[in-house]
Amino acid sequence: MKLKTILATAMFAAGLVTAGQVAAQEKLIVWWEKGFYKAEDDALFAVIKKYEQKYKGVKVELSQYPIQDMIPKTVASLDSGNPPDVAFGNSFDFQVTGKWAFDGKLEDISSVINPIRARFAPNTAETAFLYNDVTKTRAYYAFPIRQQTIHIQYWGDMLAEAGFKDSDIPTNWKDYWAFWCDKVQPAHRQKSGNRTFGIGQPLGVDSTDSFFSFLTFVDAYNVRLVSDSGKLLVDDPAVRTGLIGALTDYTQPYVKGCTPPSSNNWKDPDNNVAFHNKTTVMTHNATISIAAKWLDDMNNAALKPEDREVAKKNYTERIRTASFPNKPDGSKMVYRAAIKTGVVLSQAKNKARAKEFVAFLLQEENLTPYIEGSLGRWFPVMKAAQQSPFWKADPHRTSVYNQFTAGTVNFEFTKNYKFTILNNENVWAKAANRVINEKMPVDRAVDEMIARIKVVAN
């Protein structure tokens, strides 16, 4: 009995020690947007594991949320005074980062960015140098980790089934969109017997794809909504004319029945889903996540061999990644890039560790594998990483590389943060829906859009 008591006491004491060690372990709360596929999430887990191995006293408590939940959940945490230490969402830059910086809700992380500033490619780190109206100063209030631009993806086998070759695709603006709508769609329906659609046109108000795509049409018409100093240019009659052209062209696929009827309600994943189901022949997407999904599947050992083989054929043979046609004036498209930013919240409980984690993530040996782990969905913000052989490994990634290295421009919100509010409202998709759902004339929808821009962004 005495021996049992001694052993029990020793075990109890050991338990207390272990419990004390667990209790003493420091927590870092990280919220991160969930990836579109397994490889992307696995790459994040690998970085976190590596960080925990280096800083053994720290435990990263990771919570992942879908894209549509990241902003509402982070806003709720800020309102309650209990935000995560580090947060990252792919729509933060579009919709909230600039506003949060202006309102003093973000921590100044210049001490992290300044020492590595020279490693960033042009038009990347600049977008995180934001104005804080509380301190009346500019500083780095966000950390850029990756970027995106828009691409065309189409099914080569569906195009062939419709009786066309890649070389048949026009390169001028009007003929290009008419080709998918007026030629490919009816021909594919006749050959296949399926109710396929020539174009997957994102039009949902709750979609970042819809405003990224629409603003690319705005760029095609050479419209500048804001000057480099942040001043609105929407009173220029040429801007109104260009917006009318862009909105007319953007709504035409829906008006003509060339995009699924549900596309006016699509959220960000839905044009991907329609494409994967072969409901649409072509779509435009702000990453190559569509093709990369099949690359992920072909390497996923959990799938059946026959499913992996289908995925391999889709990625290597059937799906094409391409650029947009020439602008209506015949000149080449210049693409806008969105720099994806994470933040350290000013109310965070563990800001020192948060900055340490961000600095660790931004080290070349950690950030590059993480970006490449997303299989081409995101392009690097660091100069060295952009020259990795990874970006020349197949036609999909080469197309991405070529688009970025030809030069990009930034979004309006990098010059006037109030455009994050307009993007959050999605005045662009709302205008499109006024046309397609309420049959409002395009010029009236544009005038309504311009009026709202002036109310918000002046």
CSV table of all heavy atoms in Angstrom, one decimal, residues 1 4 33 41 47 54 66 110 141 168-169 176 187 192-193 221 243-244 274 321 339 374 394 396:
chain,number,residue,atom,x,y,z
A,1,MET,N,0.8,-1.2,0.0
A,1,MET,CA,0.0,0.0,0.0
A,1,MET,C,0.9,1.2,0.0
A,1,MET,O,0.6,2.2,-0.7
A,1,MET,CB,-0.9,0.0,1.2
A,1,MET,CG,-2.1,-1.0,1.2
A,1,MET,SD,-3.2,-0.6,-0.1
A,1,MET,CE,-3.9,0.9,0.5
A,4,LYS,N,2.2,1.8,-3.4
A,4,LYS,CA,1.2,2.3,-4.3
A,4,LYS,C,1.0,3.8,-4.1
A,4,LYS,O,0.8,4.6,-5.0
A,4,LYS,CB,-0.1,1.6,-4.1
A,4,LYS,CG,-0.1,0.2,-4.7
A,4,LYS,CD,-1.4,-0.5,-4.5
A,4,LYS,CE,-1.4,-1.9,-5.1
A,4,LYS,NZ,-2.7,-2.6,-4.9
A,33,GLU,N,-7.4,32.3,-44.0
A,33,GLU,CA,-8.4,31.8,-45.0
A,33,GLU,C,-8.1,30.4,-45.4
A,33,GLU,O,-6.9,30.1,-45.7
A,33,GLU,CB,-8.5,32.7,-46.2
A,33,GLU,CG,-9.6,32.4,-47.1
A,33,GLU,CD,-9.7,33.4,-48.3
A,33,GLU,OE1,-9.8,34.6,-48.0
A,33,GLU,OE2,-9.7,32.9,-49.4
A,41,ASP,N,-3.5,24.2,-48.2
A,41,ASP,CA,-3.5,24.1,-46.7
A,41,ASP,C,-2.3,23.4,-46.1
A,41,ASP,O,-1.7,23.8,-45.1
A,41,ASP,CB,-4.8,23.4,-46.3
A,41,ASP,CG,-6.0,24.3,-46.5
A,41,ASP,OD1,-5.9,25.5,-46.5
A,41,ASP,OD2,-7.1,23.7,-46.6
A,47,VAL,N,4.6,25.5,-42.8
A,47,VAL,CA,5.2,26.7,-42.3
A,47,VAL,C,5.0,26.9,-40.8
A,47,VAL,O,5.9,27.2,-40.0
A,47,VAL,CB,4.7,28.0,-43.0
A,47,VAL,CG1,5.2,29.3,-42.3
A,47,VAL,CG2,5.1,27.9,-44.5
A,54,LYS,N,11.0,26.0,-34.2
A,54,LYS,CA,12.1,27.0,-33.9
A,54,LYS,C,11.8,27.6,-32.6
A,54,LYS,O,12.7,27.9,-31.8
A,54,LYS,CB,12.2,28.0,-35.0
A,54,LYS,CG,13.3,29.0,-34.7
A,54,LYS,CD,13.5,29.9,-35.9
A,54,LYS,CE,14.6,30.9,-35.6
A,54,LYS,NZ,14.9,31.8,-36.8
A,66,PRO,N,-13.7,29.9,-44.5
A,66,PRO,CA,-13.9,30.2,-46.0
A,66,PRO,C,-13.8,31.7,-46.3
A,66,PRO,O,-14.0,32.5,-45.4
A,66,PRO,CB,-15.3,29.7,-46.3
A,66,PRO,CG,-15.7,28.9,-45.1
A,66,PRO,CD,-14.9,29.4,-43.9
A,110,SER,N,6.2,48.1,-39.5
A,110,SER,CA,7.4,48.6,-40.3
A,110,SER,C,8.7,48.0,-39.8
A,110,SER,O,9.6,47.8,-40.7
A,110,SER,CB,7.5,50.1,-40.1
A,110,SER,OG,6.3,50.8,-40.6
A,141,TYR,N,1.2,48.8,-42.4
A,141,TYR,CA,0.2,48.3,-41.5
A,141,TYR,C,-0.3,46.9,-42.0
A,141,TYR,O,-1.4,46.5,-41.5
A,141,TYR,CB,-1.0,49.3,-41.4
A,141,TYR,CG,-0.7,50.5,-40.6
A,141,TYR,CD1,-0.4,51.7,-41.1
A,141,TYR,CD2,-0.6,50.4,-39.2
A,141,TYR,CE1,-0.1,52.8,-40.3
A,141,TYR,CE2,-0.3,51.4,-38.4
A,141,TYR,CZ,0.0,52.7,-38.9
A,141,TYR,OH,0.3,53.7,-38.1
A,168,ASP,N,-8.5,29.2,-83.7
A,168,ASP,CA,-9.7,29.9,-84.2
A,168,ASP,C,-10.2,31.0,-83.2
A,168,ASP,O,-11.1,31.8,-83.6
A,168,ASP,CB,-10.9,28.9,-84.3
A,168,ASP,CG,-10.7,27.8,-85.4
A,168,ASP,OD1,-10.0,28.2,-86.4
A,168,ASP,OD2,-11.1,26.7,-85.2
A,169,ILE,N,-9.7,31.1,-82.0
A,169,ILE,CA,-10.1,32.0,-81.1
A,169,ILE,C,-9.6,33.4,-81.5
A,169,ILE,O,-8.4,33.7,-81.7
A,169,ILE,CB,-9.6,31.7,-79.7
A,169,ILE,CG1,-10.0,30.3,-79.2
A,169,ILE,CG2,-10.0,32.7,-78.6
A,169,ILE,CD1,-9.4,29.8,-77.9
A,176,TYR,N,-13.9,38.3,-79.8
A,176,TYR,CA,-13.5,37.3,-78.8
A,176,TYR,C,-14.7,36.8,-78.0
A,176,TYR,O,-15.0,35.6,-77.9
A,176,TYR,CB,-12.4,37.9,-77.9
A,176,TYR,CG,-12.0,36.9,-76.8
A,176,TYR,CD1,-10.9,36.0,-77.1
A,176,TYR,CD2,-12.5,36.9,-75.6
A,176,TYR,CE1,-10.5,35.1,-76.1
A,176,TYR,CE2,-12.1,36.0,-74.6
A,176,TYR,CZ,-11.1,35.1,-74.9
A,176,TYR,OH,-10.6,34.2,-73.9
A,187,ALA,N,-22.7,25.4,-81.0
A,187,ALA,CA,-22.1,24.3,-81.7
A,187,ALA,C,-21.9,23.2,-80.7
A,187,ALA,O,-22.1,22.0,-81.0
A,187,ALA,CB,-20.7,24.7,-82.3
A,192,SER,N,-23.0,17.9,-78.3
A,192,SER,CA,-23.0,17.1,-77.1
A,192,SER,C,-24.4,16.8,-76.6
A,192,SER,O,-24.6,15.8,-75.8
A,192,SER,CB,-22.3,17.9,-76.0
A,192,SER,OG,-23.1,19.1,-75.6
A,193,GLY,N,-25.4,17.6,-77.0
A,193,GLY,CA,-26.7,17.4,-76.5
A,193,GLY,C,-26.9,17.9,-75.0
A,193,GLY,O,-28.0,17.7,-74.4
A,221,TYR,N,-11.3,49.4,-71.5
A,221,TYR,CA,-11.8,50.7,-72.1
A,221,TYR,C,-10.9,51.9,-71.7
A,221,TYR,O,-11.3,53.0,-71.9
A,221,TYR,CB,-13.2,50.9,-71.8
A,221,TYR,CG,-14.2,50.1,-72.7
A,221,TYR,CD1,-14.5,48.8,-72.5
A,221,TYR,CD2,-14.7,50.8,-73.8
A,221,TYR,CE1,-15.3,48.1,-73.3
A,221,TYR,CE2,-15.5,50.1,-74.7
A,221,TYR,CZ,-15.8,48.8,-74.5
A,221,TYR,OH,-16.6,48.1,-75.4
A,243,LEU,N,-17.1,53.5,-69.0
A,243,LEU,CA,-17.9,52.7,-68.1
A,243,LEU,C,-19.1,52.1,-68.8
A,243,LEU,O,-19.5,51.0,-68.5
A,243,LEU,CB,-18.3,53.5,-66.8
A,243,LEU,CG,-17.2,53.8,-65.8
A,243,LEU,CD1,-17.6,54.7,-64.7
A,243,LEU,CD2,-16.6,52.5,-65.2
A,244,ILE,N,-19.8,52.9,-69.6
A,244,ILE,CA,-20.9,52.4,-70.4
A,244,ILE,C,-20.5,51.3,-71.3
A,244,ILE,O,-21.2,50.2,-71.4
A,244,ILE,CB,-21.6,53.5,-71.1
A,244,ILE,CG1,-22.3,54.5,-70.2
A,244,ILE,CG2,-22.6,53.0,-72.2
A,244,ILE,CD1,-22.8,55.8,-70.8
A,274,ALA,N,-18.8,25.5,-61.7
A,274,ALA,CA,-19.4,25.4,-63.0
A,274,ALA,C,-18.4,24.9,-64.1
A,274,ALA,O,-18.8,24.0,-64.9
A,274,ALA,CB,-20.1,26.7,-63.4
A,321,THR,N,-4.8,27.7,-70.1
A,321,THR,CA,-4.7,29.0,-69.4
A,321,THR,C,-4.3,30.1,-70.4
A,321,THR,O,-3.2,29.9,-71.1
A,321,THR,CB,-3.7,29.0,-68.2
A,321,THR,OG1,-4.2,28.1,-67.2
A,321,THR,CG2,-3.6,30.4,-67.6
A,339,ILE,N,-2.6,42.6,-54.4
A,339,ILE,CA,-1.6,42.1,-53.5
A,339,ILE,C,-2.2,41.7,-52.2
A,339,ILE,O,-2.9,42.4,-51.5
A,339,ILE,CB,-0.5,43.2,-53.1
A,339,ILE,CG1,-0.1,44.0,-54.4
A,339,ILE,CG2,0.7,42.7,-52.4
A,339,ILE,CD1,0.4,43.1,-55.5
A,374,SER,N,0.8,26.4,-53.2
A,374,SER,CA,-0.5,26.7,-53.7
A,374,SER,C,-0.6,26.3,-55.2
A,374,SER,O,-1.6,26.6,-55.9
A,374,SER,CB,-0.9,28.1,-53.5
A,374,SER,OG,-0.1,29.0,-54.2
A,394,ASP,N,5.3,24.4,-66.5
A,394,ASP,CA,4.2,23.9,-67.3
A,394,ASP,C,3.5,25.2,-68.0
A,394,ASP,O,3.8,26.3,-67.6
A,394,ASP,CB,3.2,23.1,-66.6
A,394,ASP,CG,2.5,23.8,-65.5
A,394,ASP,OD1,1.9,24.9,-65.7
A,394,ASP,OD2,2.4,23.2,-64.4
A,396,HIS,N,0.5,26.4,-67.9
A,396,HIS,CA,-0.3,27.2,-67.0
A,396,HIS,C,0.5,28.3,-66.2
A,396,HIS,O,0.2,29.4,-66.2
A,396,HIS,CB,-1.1,26.3,-66.0
A,396,HIS,CG,-2.0,25.3,-66.7
A,396,HIS,ND1,-3.1,25.7,-67.3
A,396,HIS,CD2,-1.9,24.0,-66.7
A,396,HIS,CE1,-3.7,24.6,-67.8
A,396,HIS,NE2,-3.0,23.5,-67.4
